[in-house]
Amino acid sequence: MHVHVHGGGGPKRVLKISLGVTLAYIVLLVVAGIRAHSLALLSEAGHNLSDFLALLLSLVAVYLQSRPASSTKTYGYHRAGVLAALVNAVSLVAVSFFIFYEAFHRLQHPQHVQASVMMWVAAAGVAMNGVIAWLLYRSGQSSGNDVNIRSALLHEVGDTLSTAAVIAGGWAILVTGDTWIDSALSFGIGALILWSGFGIVRETLNILLEGTPRGVKLELVENTIRSIDGVNDVHDLHCWSIGSETRALSCHISIADIPPSVSERILRDVKDRLHHSFHIDHTTIQFEHVECEVAHGCVIPVGESEGHHHHSH
């Protein structure tokens, strides 16, 4: 199966193809898993279902992110993709616990497993996941490493590995006749699902809680701004992610009492440096040249003279 990916509509098209193929494979896994009494195949179905959700949510997110901003959604729909990834990850955690429960139950009540069916179905899966992973990798390169494409790609790579493990397990059952191998594999697949789920939960929660973006150190950002010529001090510094790839920053910068034409140059320098060093493009920077009472959240600049006798109404 060969699919050509173009840059523009690349991600959407790849995701749609991947969705169709994955759905067909899930049906095959469920049928074969029931016929062969293999929990490993059924957990693979769970694993692939989680992928199907991941791909579906990525597709929805890619669609939503391309929608324009409006007067009520001034940042557009960037967060929709992040929210989708969170829902997907939580569902993964639930699937993995169900697999653990079933595998534990199977260890106590062993069932006869048809290992040859396991191997054939898993081999088909390795081929399919490999192709989808390659397509996603290609479109990820062209779309600049979007977190949705990245999470879908991670899923596919994890799938390819766990499906390969099922082939090895099927072969081991054929050779030894030990059916507990099937449950052991299911535990492994469950752990894999759990691990990938937790990773995505952590990253998406960080974005939703306005945490500092992954890979950005606030002290470093502060020092970089301070090092720019003309900047006396920087405070009230905030850095967060609007969507998975869009970073924003706001801060107050103290400068000398200079004309706007000169402060414009400082602003341009700050923006350039933030763009090149940290990929931060969405900035809100407030200049000040008076003492500022930080306790009041910088609403009232306090000059030297009024600073001592503050009137409250």
Side-chain angles (χ1 to χ4, degrees):
M1 160 177 151
H2 181 70
V3 185
H4 189 63
V5 182
H6 300 288
K12 278 188 200 173
R13 199 148 149 262
V14 170
L15 288 169
K16 281 179 183 164
I17 293 166
S18 309
L19 269 175
V21 178
T22 309
L23 188 61
Y25 185 57
I26 292 169
V27 173
L28 174 67
L29 278 170
V30 172
V31 172
I34 293 169
R35 295 276 303 271
H37 300 297
S38 167
L39 181 63
L41 284 184
L42 290 173
S43 358
E44 269 301 298
H47 197 174
N48 279 279
L49 180 63
S50 72
D51 273 14
F52 180 74
L53 287 175
L55 291 165
L56 185 63
L57 290 168
S58 301
L59 186 63
V60 170
V62 166
Y63 165 71
L64 284 173
Q65 281 173 7
S66 61
R67 289 188 62 181
S70 64
S71 58
T72 51
K73 304 273 185 297
T74 54
Y75 276 136
Y77 288 84
H78 284 284
R79 286 276 166 92
V82 178
L83 205 55
L86 177 65
V87 171
N88 166 41
V90 171
S91 67
L92 287 191
V93 173
V95 165
S96 63
F97 278 116
F98 175 72
I99 291 172
F100 290 149
Y101 169 77
E102 275 296 313
F104 187 68
H105 183 71
R106 279 281 181 102
L107 282 174
Q108 292 166 321
H109 309 281
Q111 292 194 18
H112 175 67
V113 180
Q114 287 175 326
S116 53
V117 177
M118 261 175 86
M119 289 170 72
W120 278 113
V121 175
V126 167
M128 179 204 77
N129 285 323
V131 168
I132 295 179
W134 181 76
L135 288 176
L136 285 171
Y137 175 75
R138 280 272 305 274
S139 82
Q141 297 299 75
S142 63
S143 70
N145 225 350
D146 182 290
V147 75
N148 286 293
I149 298 284
R150 203 173 73 232
S151 75
L153 174 63
L154 257 173
H155 268 287
E156 291 300 333
V157 171
D159 263 25
T160 309
L161 293 174
S162 72
T163 317
V166 173
I167 298 179
W171 179 78
I173 294 173
L174 270 184
V175 174
T176 61
D178 290 334
T179 51
W180 61 263
I181 294 173
D182 184 61
S183 301
L185 276 172
S186 312
F187 270 118
I189 296 166
L192 195 70
I193 301 175
L194 193 61
W195 179 74
S196 64
F198 270 139
I200 299 170
V201 167
R202 205 171 61 234
E203 189 171 337
T204 50
L205 276 181
N206 186 47
I207 294 175
L208 294 173
L209 293 172
E210 309 271 313
T212 305
R214 208 166 49 109
V216 173
K217 285 202 163 36
L218 211 56
E219 302 80 44
L220 205 59
V221 176
E222 190 177 334
N223 294 337
T224 303
I225 297 175
R226 280 179 198 277
S227 71
I228 291 165
D229 199 30
V231 173
N232 295 341
D233 189 26
V234 58
H235 56 98
D236 250 357
L237 175 63
H238 299 280
C239 184
W240 69 98
S241 299
I242 298 166
S244 56
E245 297 302 315
T246 321
R247 294 168 173 180
L249 173 139
S250 70
C251 68
H252 293 191
I253 293 178
S254 301
I255 55 173
D257 199 350
I258 49 176
S261 54
V262 185
S263 68
E264 192 61 42
R265 179 200 56 79
I266 299 176
L267 184 61
R268 206 168 47 244
D269 286 354
V270 171
K271 286 187 157 181
D272 282 351
R273 191 70 69 83
L274 288 173
H275 169 74
H276 291 300
S277 305
F278 305 100
H279 305 297
I280 297 171
D281 295 310
H282 203 297
T283 54
T284 310
I285 296 167
Q286 182 175 324
F287 280 149
E288 296 159 346
H289 64 269
V290 286
E291 288 300 306
C292 179
E293 220 178 290
V294 181
H296 290 179
C298 270
V299 180
I300 318 168
V302 182
E304 278 66 53
S305 53
E306 314 103 283
H308 304 298
H309 37 84
H310 222 60
H311 298 298
S312 56
H313 305 289

